[in-house]
């Protein structure tokens, strides 16, 4: 009987995994099928939400209809998964359907924990969902000047380089517009003891310091966010209080509701799932792979699409090996961090390596700047848009084929 591979989550990880699986099934005529279940009819590319906020590109340009992936041989179901029965190898959806599997790949991202700190949900702007990115864009355009606080409540967060990107993009925008701003970059020390500017290593940290200094941005390291007061426009941390005219906030990452239970939740850090490295398996179920952003930190990796993408390919190659593909196993490669900064951008390369003794991937100490300049902005946007272009063929703006 055909092996059933079920993938849940139609974002970066789920799509990378489904596509690789479908291509190998077809190329090797494997007796297997791949089904992708996702609650949104769209496949989004979240990094482009920064372009919505800064450059006002349309939300339409940041997504593609998920159903278009069927052209590549992936059966696609738009539905919300409401429960996973690991013992019975099945999942149930909001419409009451049950799907069984031989292999399960889980890639559900993280959710924005705005309610974790008092006042954070009500205050400020962000571009961590497409609608909020549009609101943020209007606020940027109409801001008359004053103090901007870029607030990172906790580490790690989605996209480690994001605060540097938004801080320098705003600084550059207001410099060219000749609007007077005083920008404070407020962030904590990481759990591993890294200064917030050094989370991508000392080389990228040095560059970040230089650029922030040129823009006159002050970096304030806080010892824990206590609350935000939206009426008084005040950020209160354990060691500093800061008034703001514009607050830009980064969300604390939290587990998607489906995974927030003892079957999946990490015992020591309940923001993430447990996961067995190096293949990203569930600790108790070999046939279940956890490759979404929710599993990156326990695996030692960052909360970024590039890490999720490679984890998904690694896991998928393990499944393919078991079902008879000639595809070789995917070894975790060096990862790139492609970021906008100020009037240009940079590419950081991180040599990811696996520490078998500690049972985790490592990378922070081996990152360096490899390209710097305006070409990077073009590269980044072109890469994400061409990835989406692959799916847009045949789809329409309603997310239907
Ligand atoms: C503003 C911003 C900028 C970023 N910039 C970068 C960057 O420059 N570089 C980089 O590498 N990364 C970046 N990232 C991070 C990157 O987007 C994420 O790491 C990546 O999208 C995570 O992939 P994922 O597959 O785990 O989750 P996602 O891509 O978030 O996809 C999750 C999917 O699961 C679906 N889903 C959730 N719950 C259910 C359910 N119960 N049932 C069915 N479906 C469900 C959702 O609809 C969604 O399709 C950025 C993120 C943001 C928000």
């Amino acid at each position: 009987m055909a092996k059933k591979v079920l993938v849940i989550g139609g974002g970066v990880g789920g799509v990378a995994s489904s596509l690789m699986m479908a291509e190998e099934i077809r190329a090797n005529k494997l007796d297997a099928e791949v089904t992708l279940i996702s609650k949104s009819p769209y496949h989004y590319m979240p990094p482009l939400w920064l372009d919505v906020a800064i450059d006002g590109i349309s939300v339409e340009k940041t997504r593609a209809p998920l159903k278009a992936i069927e052209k590549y041989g992936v059966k696609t179901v738009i539905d919300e998964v409401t429960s996973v029965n690991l013992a019975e190898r099945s999942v149930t959806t909001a419409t009451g359907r049950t799907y069984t599997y031989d292999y399960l790949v889980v890639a559900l991202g993280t959710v924005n924990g705005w309610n974790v700190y008092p006042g954070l949900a009500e205050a400020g702007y962000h571009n961590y969902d497409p609608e909020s990115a549009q609101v943020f864009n209007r606020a940027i355009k109409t801001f008359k000047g004053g103090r901007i606080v870029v607030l990172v409540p906790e580490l790690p967060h989605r996209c480690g380089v994001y605060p540097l990107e938004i801080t320098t993009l705003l600084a550059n925008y207001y410099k060219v517009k000749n609007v007077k701003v005083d920008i404070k970059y407020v962030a904590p020390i990481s759990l591993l003891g890294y200064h917030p500017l050094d989370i991508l290593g000392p080389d990228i940290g040095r560059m970040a310091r230089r650029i922030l200094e040129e823009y006159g941005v002050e970096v304030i390291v806080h010892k824990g966010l206590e609350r935000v007061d939206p009426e008084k426009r005040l950020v209160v941390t354990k060691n500093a209080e800061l008034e703001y005219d514009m607050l830009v906030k980064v969300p604390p990452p939290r587990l998607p509701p489906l995974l927030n239970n003892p079957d999946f939740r990490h015992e020591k850090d309940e923001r993430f799932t447990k996961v067995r490295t190096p293949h990203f398996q569930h600790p108790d179920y070999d046939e279940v792979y956890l490759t979404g952003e929710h599993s990156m930190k326990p695996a030692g990796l960052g909360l970024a699409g590039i890490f999720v993408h490679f984890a998904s390919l690694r896991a998928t190659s393990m499944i393919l090996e078991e079902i008879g593909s000639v595809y070789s196993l995917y070894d975790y490669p060096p990862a790139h961090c492609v970021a906008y900064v100020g009037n240009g951008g940079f590419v950081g390369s991180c040599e990811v390596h696996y520490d078998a003794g500690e049972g985790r991937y490592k990378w922070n100490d081996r990152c360096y700047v490899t390209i710097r300049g305006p070409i990077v902005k073009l590269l980044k946007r072109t890469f994400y848009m061409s990835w989406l272009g692959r799916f847009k063929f045949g789809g329409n703006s309603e997310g239907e084929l």
Side-chain angles (χ1 to χ4, degrees):
M1 213 161 67
K3 292 286 183 199
K4 289 185 196 167
V5 181
L6 195 58
V7 179
I8 57 176
V12 170
V15 161
S17 177
S18 312
L19 274 180
M20 182 183 187
M21 187 61 67
E23 281 167 10
E24 284 304 300
I25 290 172
R26 190 166 47 189
N28 291 299
K29 299 191 174 42
L30 299 174
D31 191 17
E33 59 183 40
V34 53
T35 303
L36 171 64
I37 308 180
S38 193
K39 66 179 179 183
S40 168
Y42 295 107
H43 170 57
Y44 279 97
M45 199 39 79
L48 288 173
W49 297 337
L50 181 56
D51 301 63
V52 175
I54 286 291
D55 288 338
I57 72 163
S58 70
V59 170
E60 195 54 42
K61 287 195 169 141
T62 72
R63 66 190 185 190
L66 190 61
K67 279 267 176 191
I69 199 176
E70 296 207 326
K71 293 192 178 301
Y72 298 98
V74 181
K75 196 175 155 204
T76 310
V77 178
I78 308 300
D79 204 347
E80 180 172 0
V81 177
T82 47
S83 66
V84 180
N85 189 327
L86 293 169
E88 292 186 5
R89 297 188 177 189
S90 68
V91 310
T92 306
T93 65
T95 57
R97 293 190 178 84
T98 296
Y99 299 82
T100 56
Y101 60 81
D102 295 296
Y103 298 95
L104 178 68
V105 178
V106 182
L108 301 176
T110 53
V111 295
N112 299 332
W114 297 124
N115 292 318
V116 177
Y117 298 94
L120 187 64
E122 299 78 27
Y125 299 98
H126 71 92
N127 55 261
Y128 275 77
D129 67 59
E131 294 73 31
S132 302
Q134 288 179 311
V135 175
F136 188 15
N137 176 260
R138 285 189 290 276
I140 292 170
K141 298 285 163 193
T142 52
F143 188 58
K144 299 280 180 266
R147 176 177 294 168
I148 301 175
V149 171
V150 176
L151 175 64
V152 180
E154 52 184 69
L155 293 171
H157 54 76
R158 281 201 124 172
C159 191
V161 80
Y162 171 79
L164 179 66
E165 289 188 292
I166 193 66
T167 303
T168 56
L169 287 169
L170 289 175
N172 197 69
Y173 174 75
Y174 292 120
K175 181 183 142 197
V176 176
K177 201 173 173 181
N178 205 17
V179 171
K180 205 166 165 16
V181 289
D182 160 33
I183 307 185
K184 309 282 186 207
Y185 180 128
V186 184
I189 296 280
S190 85
L191 292 176
L192 293 174
Y194 293 108
H195 183 279
L197 295 183
D198 290 332
I199 55 173
L200 296 180
D203 189 33
I204 295 178
R206 270 192 300 278
M207 180 200 66
R209 282 181 179 82
R210 269 197 314 273
I211 296 171
L212 291 173
E213 209 174 293
E214 275 165 27
Y215 282 120
V217 174
E218 186 188 358
V219 180
I220 298 172
V221 179
H222 73 78
K223 293 185 175 160
L225 176 64
E226 290 192 335
R227 65 190 165 86
V228 179
D229 187 330
E231 275 171 25
K232 291 187 182 151
R233 297 180 165 230
L234 188 69
V235 171
V236 182
T237 73
K238 289 200 168 104
N239 56 312
E241 286 196 8
L242 281 144
E243 289 181 352
Y244 62 82
D245 297 297
M246 179 194 272
L247 178 72
V248 181
K249 56 187 182 177
V250 176
R254 289 298 180 268
L255 269 184
L258 182 68
L259 304 178
N260 199 356
N261 61 66
D263 276 346
F264 292 102
R265 197 169 45 227
H266 197 281
E267 291 84 0
K268 290 191 182 142
D269 191 343
E270 60 182 28
R271 299 174 297 172
F272 302 104
T273 63
K274 44 192 166 191
V275 65
R276 180 157 39 105
T277 53
H279 307 315
F280 303 94
Q281 282 156 302
H282 189 287
D284 306 317
Y285 296 89
D286 285 354
E287 69 283 6
V288 176
Y289 291 84
L290 295 153
T291 69
E293 198 174 67
H294 41 72
S295 307
M296 293 302 99
K297 195 227 160 211
L301 296 164
L303 272 58
I306 189 86
F307 292 121
V308 168
H309 189 117
F310 293 157
S312 300
L313 299 189
R314 170 68 170 241
T316 308
S317 80
M318 296 303 295
I319 301 172
L320 283 165
E321 175 88 354
E322 283 194 24
I323 61 180
S325 165
V326 294
Y327 190 92
S328 71
L329 286 175
Y330 188 86
D331 195 12
Y332 208 101
H336 295 300
C337 154
V338 187
Y340 300 161
V341 274
N343 57 2
F346 77 91
V347 178
S349 297
C350 299
E351 291 173 5
V352 181
H353 53 114
Y354 184 64
D355 185 326
E358 288 188 28
R360 64 202 303 273
Y361 288 91
K362 289 185 174 172
W363 55 280
N364 312 62
D365 54 343
R366 297 189 190 178
C367 298
Y368 15 76
V369 180
T370 43
I371 310 180
R372 171 99 172 87
I375 187 77
V376 178
K377 185 161 180 179
L378 191 65
L379 267 178
K380 180 165 178 168
R381 195 179 284 184
T382 307
F383 171 75
Y384 290 129
M385 288 199 172
S386 56
W387 172 269
L388 289 173
R390 191 174 179 190
F391 302 97
K392 287 192 173 167
F393 172 66
N396 67 25
S397 59
E398 303 305 315
E400 301 292 338
L401 276 182

